[in-house]
Amino acid sequence: MTPARGPLRPLYAQASGSPIRAMLALAGREGMVSLAGGHPDPALLPAEWLRESLLEVAGQLQGRSLQYGATEGLPALREASAALLHQRGLAAQAEDVLITTGSQQAIDLLARVLVEPGEGVAVESFNYPAALQAFRFAGARLVEVPTEAQGMDVEKLEPILQAEGPRVLYVVPNFANPTGAVMPLARRLRLLELAAHYGVTLIEDDPYGELWFGEAPPPPLAQLNQQAGSPAQVAYMISYSKVVAPALRLGVLLAPAGIARGVVLAKQAADVHSGSLEQLTLAAMLTSGRLHSHLDSLRPAYAAKGAVLAEALRMHCGDLLEFDEPLGGMFIWAKLSNALPLLPTQAWVDFGLEHQVLVVPGAAFSISGAAQPWLRLSFANPAAEALRQGAERLGRGLRKLATTA
Ligand code: PMP
């Protein structure tokens, strides 16, 4: 007799929760410095701008605003989002964009509508874990594409496409999570060529593209594709979490009409529509025209925090860590020296508790979950002094590991 399965489908029963979420449960402990979460700095979240917009919206509330709304999103927010995409060089009308509950929902809905169980989804070897989870839950077979300092190694992609035949390729070309990598223009163009040739749908996830420090990244794949006359299928997403506030849970999807239709059907089944009060508030924020100046203040603030952490790591971790200066986004991706042992994720949780500094090990972002000689260090959330303290504690802990290895 085969053992009866429990109430959960095996796909969910066997899945592990996010190790990053487990780390974050420890982040609030007295005296802990967390370089683990990719959460914005609370001091940089626009509380006043949001409060003013909320009051404006509250003053105009009527029965109609409290009614069910369109699955595609509130017209005013679709309009403002299309204008934002326009500024990134994308031709988009309000009716082309869909409002989602964070870009996380767009990833999840795309996984559901694009991938049959058993079909392949190509992903970089180090990846945003919740995207991998969404593809796994859709029954996808994850197909690994090597990644390095310039993002997905597109030169190695063609034989993988030929051998594995993935239907979909998920990519974060700007300041990727966890690597911080930016894909150069030539690689973007080659990726589009390959996607068109092999009939692979691209999911381009771009939550960090506006958080550049020195210069803006190359244009989105979706824009390059439009410019070239749309030979490839590209579903492009942005998020309001990092540029406005994660609490709103709002993102934007621009996808070819056929894909968008499937996503709308899936969203009807998932949550009918994203919350109207959040959408009204964000629409009011965007139409106030303040996003531009907000971004102008966010970029140097995060750049300064990235520089503080990089300098402190150089000072305290010396030759035990190797990394590139962050160019944007929220992460430093640091390679551990081979003087250090390869440790499983739980050992880094213990390390965090012992040394009062939380870091996320590379294993959390790898497809196999196997130990990796990498750490993701986020400079976004802690204040500058805590970043310095975190680097100092990390250095002390790593030196202890090196001497006991
Ligand atoms: N994609 C990537 C690469 C991310 O790092 C994140 C959040 N950290 C998301 C998507 C989801 O963002 P949200 O749902 O808040 O828009």
Side-chain angles (χ1 to χ4, degrees), residues 149 179 310 313-314 317-325 332-338 340 373-377 394 398:
T179 61
L313 290 172
R314 276 193 296 269
C317 303
D319 50 7
L320 292 177
L321 279 186
E322 209 179 289
F323 58 90
D324 290 332
E325 198 76 20
I332 289 180
W333 183 234
K335 180 139 202 214
L336 292 161
S337 136
N338 48 24
L340 293 162
W374 293 94
L375 297 179
R376 188 193 75 174
L377 309 169
L394 179 61
L398 292 180

Side-chain angles (χ1 to χ4, degrees), residues 346-400:
Q346 184 55 43
W348 287 103
V349 175
D350 299 340
F351 177 99
L353 290 171
E354 181 183 347
H355 299 286
Q356 300 275 79
V357 59
L358 296 171
V359 297
V360 189
F365 309 98
S366 78
I367 295 166
S368 67
Q372 308 284 336
W374 293 94
L375 297 179
R376 188 193 75 174
L377 309 169
S378 174
F379 50 82
N381 186 266
E385 200 37 49
L387 289 172
R388 290 190 194 96
Q389 209 169 41
E392 189 186 339
R393 293 176 187 179
L394 179 61
R396 206 175 315 130
L398 292 180
R399 267 194 303 283
K400 184 172 169 200

Side-chain angles (χ1 to χ4, degrees), residues 38 101-105 107 128 131 170 172 176-177 205-208 237-242 246 249-251 331 376:
T101 302
S103 51
Q104 185 60 42
Q105 186 184 42
I107 301 172
Y128 169 50
Y170 169 76
V172 184
N177 181 2
D205 184 13
D206 191 13
Y208 302 105
M237 285 114 66
I238 60 172
S239 167
Y240 287 109
S241 293
K242 315 293 168 163
R249 306 305 308 125
L250 290 168
F331 308 112
R376 188 193 75 174

Side-chain angles (χ1 to χ4, degrees), residues 46-375:
E48 192 193 313
W49 178 25
L50 209 151
R51 195 177 306 116
E52 284 170 21
S53 305
L54 263 176
L55 289 174
E56 184 189 322
V57 165
Q60 293 165 2
L61 277 187
Q62 329 151 352
R64 250 185 68 199
S65 6
L66 303 180
Q67 194 48 273
Y68 283 111
T71 300
E72 290 84 349
L74 196 80
L77 183 56
R78 293 174 84 194
E79 191 80 49
S81 300
L84 204 61
L85 293 178
H86 225 262
Q87 286 164 25
R88 295 192 185 192
L90 285 147
Q93 305 297 324
E95 57 273 23
D96 303 325
V97 305
L98 301 178
I99 302 302
T100 57
T101 302
S103 51
Q104 185 60 42
Q105 186 184 42
I107 301 172
D108 182 53
L109 298 179
L110 285 165
R112 296 189 209 192
V113 305
L114 296 177
V115 189
E116 278 289 359
E119 285 183 334
V121 174
V123 294
E124 291 172 77
S125 21
F126 294 108
N127 235 301
Y128 169 50
L132 298 182
Q133 192 78 307
F135 295 128
R136 286 197 182 103
F137 286 158
R141 178 171 50 85
L142 296 178
V143 173
E144 185 171 341
V145 185
T147 191
E148 30 101 300
Q150 300 197 319
M152 182 177 280
D153 190 345
V154 174
E155 281 314 306
K156 301 214 172 94
L157 181 59
E158 189 163 23
I160 296 173
L161 296 182
Q162 287 167 343
E164 302 281 346
R167 301 274 313 167
V168 168
L169 184 147
Y170 169 76
V171 64
V172 184
N174 297 326
F175 317 117
N177 181 2
T179 61
V182 178
M183 185 184 272
L185 179 62
R187 280 195 183 197
R188 294 180 194 227
L189 294 171
R190 178 72 181 136
L191 178 55
L192 284 171
E193 231 173 64
L194 289 170
H197 184 77
Y198 289 94
V200 176
T201 300
L202 297 180
I203 300 180
E204 180 180 20
D205 184 13
D206 191 13
Y208 302 105
E210 291 289 355
L211 291 182
W212 44 267
F213 300 161
E215 55 178 312
L221 292 158
Q223 193 263 329
L224 296 167
N225 192 46
Q226 281 185 347
Q227 208 174 35
S230 301
Q233 298 274 304
V234 186
Y236 177 68
M237 285 114 66
I238 60 172
S239 167
Y240 287 109
S241 293
K242 315 293 168 163
V243 295
V244 182
L248 292 167
R249 306 305 308 125
L250 290 168
V252 182
L253 171 67
L254 176 68
I259 294 177
R261 187 178 159 274
V263 169
V264 169
L265 293 173
K267 186 165 167 66
Q268 282 166 359
D271 66 354
V272 186
H273 63 79
S274 302
S276 299
L277 296 180
E278 288 86 345
Q279 292 192 65
L280 278 168
T281 306
L282 180 57
M285 290 178 85
L286 296 175
T287 46
S288 75
R290 279 163 69 174
L291 181 63
H292 206 71
S293 60
H294 180 59
L295 284 172
D296 281 346
S297 64
L298 280 189
R299 291 186 190 112
Y302 281 116
K305 299 183 76 167
V308 164
L309 182 60
E311 194 192 319
L313 290 172
R314 276 193 296 269
M315 185 187 297
H316 297 292
C317 303
D319 50 7
L320 292 177
L321 279 186
E322 209 179 289
F323 58 90
D324 290 332
E325 198 76 20
L327 303 172
M330 298 188 159
F331 308 112
I332 289 180
W333 183 234
K335 180 139 202 214
L336 292 161
S337 136
N338 48 24
L340 293 162
L342 269 184
L343 300 175
T345 300
Q346 184 55 43
W348 287 103
V349 175
D350 299 340
F351 177 99
L353 290 171
E354 181 183 347
H355 299 286
Q356 300 275 79
V357 59
L358 296 171
V359 297
V360 189
F365 309 98
S366 78
I367 295 166
S368 67
Q372 308 284 336
W374 293 94
L375 297 179

